[in-house]
């Protein structure tokens, strides 16, 4: 037999797998082996076993080591599918599904044997020790070993879990509403579903019941959440209900914790994995359900290569599991568009449940919908008032100012951090820009710095213009830092700021949210982070400042993002018995996304948005593939992008947009091509071929290529 091994290198040039002889240790698909490769040694993943090879026997080498932990075969398949689907390489895709490095922590554990104590001569201390068993042997190892020698005690190593620290959450036993009942039943029949329910309508309770049903059938569950730090409540509720069978997989875990949680899933000791997008690769056994909480959240898209979308991968994984169960081959299809019904004798095919108060148009279009139409306890959604900011010259509308003065607890959203957006010289008009990127530098007053929000470049705040020498430097616009300072001055409640700057330190976010939750009064000011799933029942006011800022992005998702942001922020207000209201400041009061959000009208917004996308031929009516060519020189990326545009145009049913210049980023000039595809597989194949060809040409040797299928 031969092991087909995919070496884990980052280069695009190496197309494996390569054949190796079988080592002495047993290997199978998913085994991780150390292989000699040219003059070096590399780790590789066994992706197949074969009966024969073209490699002559004397040239066939043997792996030098086999790692104790392996990747489940199902995840090897998934990775190879991802490599194709996202125009990446098998090695890069496989690196996403590898077990974390580490090994179990063991301790010596002492137990009483069945040997009788009659006639044994024991000291009082020895009797005491025997009564205290079972226990860890550390500390008393010598004494225990002597008892072991007499056959009274057995000592053996056992693994000890390094459990992640979590916030416990109280669990409530509730009676499901009719709509919740129907949703849980539908999920139990398998297939993919969208759970649309306004904030506080009981979606999490549906996830919990659907998970319980899966466990009862002996199946495992994956629960994807946007960001653990911002959604501790969901995690806490799963742990409260299911205890140690929940494994937590997030990036802030220590190495040992991460390893133990992975292994508990791999061995089947834990049956539910909860985590952010990468938890879609959790080695859960007999997967029966994947839940995607807040499915509209942009964090589900991975921005490294492969640029996968956890929602799409989740659907593919569920589809493959269903096929495997049906006795077929585990192929991954265009999953979110496929629906299955179970065979009558085995009604439980794996299920996918994507939930949100503000679903993406794609999901709305693709999946059958389960609806929770009102908040639990019929608590009304807060009324939303739009404040027209055209012609205003202060960041806060007088009415918002008044409302903030009266509210005891409020949340204010401004999706822009820093003090002011840009600095200009009043005398000569110079704008301070990043030397690496073609964007304005943002003032961060507390740090006495101006900073680039794209590359992190920082410099000292200029005292005078370095162009004309004028000391008159103007600051334009307001960010969260400035609003925080102004409001702290104006209001007599404590002001808390939550944005990427205050969230940088480890555990800063839970600490800050905890302080705000416990404060009898206060204002939480921040970027989109304040609009995530928080549940503060005593917040009675929500304010959105510059609601159209996200609309100005040159991106077909600008509408969808704006709608979700406002509707989600509105969902944070009025969750308690005292009710609440929301004020939305905007210079575009008639924009459909803003008007619909003010009415909490997700169906209306999505219907209009789908119509617009159909007219413009955007997803879900076409697939997009974005190729970005970049280099330190201006001309090469333009030339490379031109070649790719021409080559991709031959793909069946594809329209090519560009090449178009993008702003310079991190010192690199960029040129972009977007392919609109109606035959996704053909377009991906054409783009892959075009990029491979261009990348291998000498004149493009300084150009870097990045391919993004389904860009966000
Ligand atoms: P969502 O996830 O849609 O925001 P949750 O599931 O968190 O909503 O529910 C909001 C609150 O209502 C929670 O405190 C939850 O315990 C409670 N809840 C959910 N379903 C019910 C029900 N059927 N009866 C009573 N309370 C419920
Ligand atoms: Zn000047
Ligand atoms: Zn920069």
């Amino acid at each position: 037999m031969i092991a087909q091994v995919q070496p884990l290198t980052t280069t695009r040039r190496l197309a494996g797998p390569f054949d190796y002889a079988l080592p002495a240790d047993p290997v199978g698909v998913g085994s991780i082996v150390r292989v000699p490769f040219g003059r070096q040694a590399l780790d590789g993943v066994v992706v197949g076993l074969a009966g024969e090879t073209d490699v002559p026997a004397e040239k066939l080498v043997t792996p030098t080591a086999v790692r104790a932990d392996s990747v489940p075969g199902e995840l090897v398949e998934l990775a190879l599918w991802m490599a194709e689907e996202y125009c990446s390489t098998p090695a890069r895709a496989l690196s996403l599904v590898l077990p974390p490095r580490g090994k179990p922590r063991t301790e010596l554990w002492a137990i009483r044997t069945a040997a009788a104590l009659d006639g044994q001569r024991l000291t009082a201390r020895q009797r005491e020790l025997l009564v205290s068993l079972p226990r860890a042997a550390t500390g008393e190892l010598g004494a225990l070993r002597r008892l072991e020698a007499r056959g009274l005690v057995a000592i053996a190593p056992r693994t000890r879990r390094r459990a992640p620290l979590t916030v416990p959450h109280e669990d409530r036993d509730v009676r499901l509403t009719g709509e919740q009942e129907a949703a849980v039943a539908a999920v139990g029949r398998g297939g993919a579903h969208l759970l649309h329910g306004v904030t506080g309508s009981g979606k999490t309770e549906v996830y919990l019941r659907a998970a319980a049903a899966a466990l009862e059938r002996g199946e495992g569950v994956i629960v994807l959440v946007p960001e653990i730090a911002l959604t501790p409540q969901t995690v806490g509720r799963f742990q409260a209900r299911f205890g140690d069978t929940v494994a937590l997989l997030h990036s802030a875990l220590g190495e040992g914790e991460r390893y133990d949680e992975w292994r508990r899933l791999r061995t089947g000791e834990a049956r539910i994995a909860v985590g952010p997008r990468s938890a879609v690769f959790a080695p859960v056994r007999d997967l029966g359900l994947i839940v995607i909480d807040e499915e509209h959240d942009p964090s589900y898209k991975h921005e490294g290569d492969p640029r996968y979308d956890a929602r799409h991968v989740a659907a593919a994984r569920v589809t493959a599991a269903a096929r495997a169960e049906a006795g077929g081959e585990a192929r991954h299809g265009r999953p979110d568009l496929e629906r299955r019904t179970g065979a009558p004798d085995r009604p439980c095919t794996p299920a996918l449940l994507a939930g949100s108060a503000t679903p993406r148009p794609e999901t709305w279009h693709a999946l059958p919908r389960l609806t929770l139409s009102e908040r639990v306890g019929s608590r009304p959604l807060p009324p939303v008032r739009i404040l027209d900011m055209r012609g205003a010259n202060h960041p806060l509308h007088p009415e918002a100012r008044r409302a903030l003065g009266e509210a005891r607890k409020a949340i204010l959203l401004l999706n822009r951090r820093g003090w002011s957006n840009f600095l200009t010289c009043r005398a000569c008009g110079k704008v301070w820009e990043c030397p690496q990127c073609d964007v304005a530098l943002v003032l961060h007053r507390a740090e006495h710095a101006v900073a680039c929000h794209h590359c992190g470049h920082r410099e000292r705040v200029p005292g005078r213009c370095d162009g004309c020498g004028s000391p008159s430097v103007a600051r334009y616009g307001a960010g969260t830092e400035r609003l925080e300072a102004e409001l702290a001055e104006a209001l007599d409640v404590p002001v808390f700021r939550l944005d990427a700057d205050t969230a940088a330190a480890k555990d800063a976010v839970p600490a800050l949210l905890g302080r705000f939750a416990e404060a009898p009064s206060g204002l939480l000011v921040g970027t989109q982070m304040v609009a995530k799933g928080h549940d503060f029942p005593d917040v009675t006011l929500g304010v959105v400042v510059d609601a159209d800022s996200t609309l100005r992005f040159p991106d077909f998702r600008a509408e969808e993002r704006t709608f979700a942001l406002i509707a989600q922020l509105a969902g944070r207000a009025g969750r308690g018995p005292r009710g609440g209201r929301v004020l939305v400041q905007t210079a575009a009061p008639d924009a459909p996304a803003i008007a619909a959000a003010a009415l909490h009208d997700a169906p209306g917004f999505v219907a209009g948005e789908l119509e617009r996308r159909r007219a413009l031929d955007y997803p879900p009516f076409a697939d997009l593939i974005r190729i970005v060519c970049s280099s330190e020189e201006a001309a090469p990326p333009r030339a490379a992008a031109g070649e790719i545009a021409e080559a991709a145009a031959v793909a069946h049913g594809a329209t090519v947009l560009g090449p178009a210049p993008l702003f310079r980023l991190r010192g690199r000039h960029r040129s972009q091509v977007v392919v609109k595809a109606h035959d996704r597989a053909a377009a991906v194949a054409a783009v892959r071929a075009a990029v491979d060809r261009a990348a291998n040409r000498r004149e493009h040797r300084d150009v870097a290529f990045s391919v993004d299928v389904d860009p966000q």
Side-chain angles (χ1 to χ4, degrees):
M1 285 285 266
I2 299 297
Q4 299 169 321
V5 177
Q6 182 67 56
L8 297 172
T9 75
T10 51
T11 160
R12 261 186 189 274
R13 303 224 160 73
L14 216 66
F18 300 97
D19 290 351
Y20 286 85
L22 288 192
D25 292 326
V27 293
V29 169
S31 293
I32 302 165
V33 293
R34 190 87 183 149
V35 289
F37 198 82
R39 253 169 292 150
Q40 42 179 342
L42 292 174
D43 280 337
V45 176
V46 177
V47 296
L49 297 173
E52 46 196 61
T53 174
D54 298 337
V55 181
E58 68 277 11
K59 287 217 171 137
L60 199 65
V61 290
T62 310
T64 52
V66 181
R67 226 158 107 182
D69 294 306
S70 61
V71 182
E74 171 214 351
L75 290 180
V76 172
E77 293 292 321
L78 187 71
L80 297 177
W81 167 82
M82 275 201 300
E84 286 291 322
E85 182 76 4
Y86 293 107
C87 259
S88 183
T89 67
R92 290 182 201 186
L94 282 166
S95 70
L96 295 172
V97 302
L98 292 183
R101 286 269 175 192
K103 51 179 196 262
R105 174 170 69 179
T106 57
E107 63 183 358
L108 289 176
W109 190 251
I111 57 170
R112 241 324 249 127
T113 60
L117 295 183
D118 307 348
Q120 295 279 354
R121 284 179 43 201
L122 296 163
T123 63
R125 175 75 199 109
Q126 283 174 322
R127 279 184 196 285
E128 219 174 90
L129 203 51
L130 284 170
V131 169
S132 73
L133 299 182
R135 53 168 278 178
T138 25
E140 300 284 355
L141 191 56
L144 286 166
R145 285 283 188 215
R146 282 189 288 281
L147 292 170
E148 186 187 31
R150 290 164 66 180
L152 300 176
V153 166
I155 301 175
R158 65 164 215 176
T159 59
R160 194 171 129 211
R161 177 185 176 203
R162 290 154 288 196
L165 209 64
T166 50
V167 192
H169 203 278
E170 66 164 323
D171 193 20
R172 288 203 299 154
D173 193 16
V174 299
R175 259 197 66 186
L176 294 187
T177 63
E179 285 180 329
Q180 285 175 318
E181 200 80 71
V184 173
V187 176
R189 290 191 290 272
H193 304 268
L194 166 63
L195 179 62
H196 174 234
V198 295
T199 50
S201 59
K203 295 186 292 297
T204 309
E205 191 60 40
V206 172
Y207 307 152
L208 289 162
R209 297 291 178 108
L215 290 188
E216 231 158 73
R217 295 190 298 263
E219 296 168 350
V221 179
I222 295 177
V223 181
L224 300 179
V225 294
E227 271 162 84
I228 298 250
L230 292 172
T231 47
Q233 282 146 350
T234 309
V235 179
R237 281 169 74 182
F238 269 87
Q239 283 181 319
R241 190 149 313 173
F242 300 110
D244 281 347
T245 199
V246 174
L248 200 55
L249 296 169
H250 69 94
S251 58
L253 294 186
E255 234 167 71
E257 291 165 349
R258 189 194 323 262
Y259 178 79
D260 285 0
E261 294 300 79
W262 183 89
R263 204 182 138 80
R264 289 194 322 119
L265 290 165
R266 180 77 168 108
T267 58
E269 186 191 327
R271 309 303 318 276
I272 303 181
V274 181
R277 67 171 175 257
S278 59
V280 75
F281 307 120
V284 170
R285 297 184 152 223
D286 303 317
L287 187 63
L289 170 68
I290 301 185
V291 171
I292 307 172
D293 187 23
E294 311 286 7
E295 74 88 27
H296 62 278
D297 198 278
S299 72
Y300 286 121
K301 174 81 180 180
H302 181 63
E303 292 304 342
D305 183 355
R307 296 173 174 270
Y308 71 88
D309 187 321
R311 295 162 288 208
H312 187 61
V313 176
R317 195 168 168 189
V318 162
T319 312
R323 288 221 180 84
E325 200 163 88
E329 196 189 332
R331 269 187 312 112
H332 304 82
R334 184 70 210 280
D336 45 1
L337 300 178
E338 291 179 27
R339 287 167 210 169
R340 298 167 311 276
T341 46
D345 56 325
R346 182 110 208 292
C348 305
T349 61
L352 180 83
L353 180 58
S356 175
T358 55
R360 292 179 302 158
E362 283 101 318
T363 316
W364 188 277
H365 184 72
L367 298 187
R369 197 157 57 246
L370 305 164
T371 307
L372 305 180
S373 47
E374 56 177 31
R375 279 186 165 177
V376 171
S378 306
R379 202 153 275 157
L381 284 162
V384 179
R385 225 174 104 69
I386 293 181
L387 303 176
D388 189 342
M389 294 298 280
R390 282 175 292 191
N393 51 13
H394 190 275
L396 277 183
H397 192 281
E399 187 169 339
R401 210 164 254 276
R402 206 170 324 120
L404 286 167
E406 287 161 6
R408 278 192 29 211
K409 235 166 170 181
I411 300 182
L412 184 145
L413 166 72
L414 170 59
N415 208 13
R416 198 160 55 219
R417 62 199 168 86
W419 185 273
S420 62
N421 318 346
F422 61 96
L423 304 177
T424 73
C425 169
R426 284 212 172 88
C428 75
K430 170 194 161 105
V431 174
W432 271 259
E433 285 193 342
C434 175
Q436 301 294 318
C437 318
D438 295 332
V439 296
L441 294 172
V442 176
L443 175 64
H444 288 258
R445 212 171 73 154
E447 295 144 58
H448 308 288
V450 285
C452 171
H453 285 182
H454 289 271
C455 73
H457 168 86
R458 277 167 185 273
E459 28 186 284
R460 288 192 62 81
V461 180
R464 53 178 60 244
C465 176
D466 52 359
C468 73
S470 160
S472 183
V473 177
R475 303 164 170 186
Y476 284 99
T480 45
E481 189 189 11
R482 179 169 157 202
L483 268 186
E484 177 203 13
E486 290 195 359
L487 290 165
E489 184 101 332
L491 305 176
D492 43 7
V493 300
V495 178
F496 305 83
R497 171 156 63 97
L498 177 61
D499 57 24
D501 297 316
T502 64
K506 184 169 155 53
D507 297 333
V509 175
L512 194 138
L513 291 174
R515 287 208 313 275
F516 178 67
E518 268 149 41
S521 63
L523 170 65
L524 180 65
V525 173
T527 53
Q528 37 82 27
M529 296 169 105
V530 304
K532 303 282 161 141
H534 319 298
D535 185 12
F536 304 113
D538 49 355
V539 167
T540 54
L541 174 68
V543 178
V544 183
V545 177
D546 202 357
D548 44 309
S549 64
T550 42
L551 269 186
R552 296 192 292 263
F553 278 68
D555 176 355
F556 78 96
R557 290 189 198 281
E559 273 76 12
E560 161 191 341
R561 292 249 165 80
T562 305
F563 174 80
L565 202 53
I566 299 172
Q568 291 288 342
L569 192 273
R572 301 309 120 217
R575 290 169 86 95
R578 296 175 45 223
R581 65 186 183 124
V582 178
L583 301 173
V584 176
Q585 296 188 176
T586 174
D590 304 321
I594 294 177
L599 296 171
H600 306 286
D601 184 13
F605 168 73
V606 172
E609 182 63 11
L610 282 172
E611 230 169 83
R612 191 181 72 94
R613 298 228 190 140
R614 192 191 293 277
L616 296 172
D617 202 23
Y618 272 125
F621 306 103
D623 289 307
L624 298 188
I625 306 170
R626 188 166 90 121
I627 305 103
V628 176
C629 308
S630 70
S631 131
E632 281 168 17
E633 307 294 323
R638 221 174 327 157
E643 260 172 47
I644 288 172
E646 228 166 86
V650 305
H652 173 68
T655 324
V656 175
L657 312 175
L662 295 177
F663 71 87
R664 193 170 54 104
L665 180 67
R666 294 190 175 89
R668 300 183 72 85
H669 296 266
R670 301 182 301 155
S671 191
Q672 154 178 294
V673 175
V674 173
V675 178
K676 267 187 189 171
H678 292 102
D679 179 343
R680 181 181 172 103
V684 169
V687 167
R688 169 191 297 280
V691 169
D692 282 348
R693 194 157 350 100
N696 280 318
R697 288 189 37 169
R698 286 208 47 210
E699 54 266 56
H700 302 322
R701 65 182 173 275
D702 296 327
V703 178
F705 298 84
S706 123
V707 181
D708 193 351
V709 180
D710 305 330
Q712 288 291 295

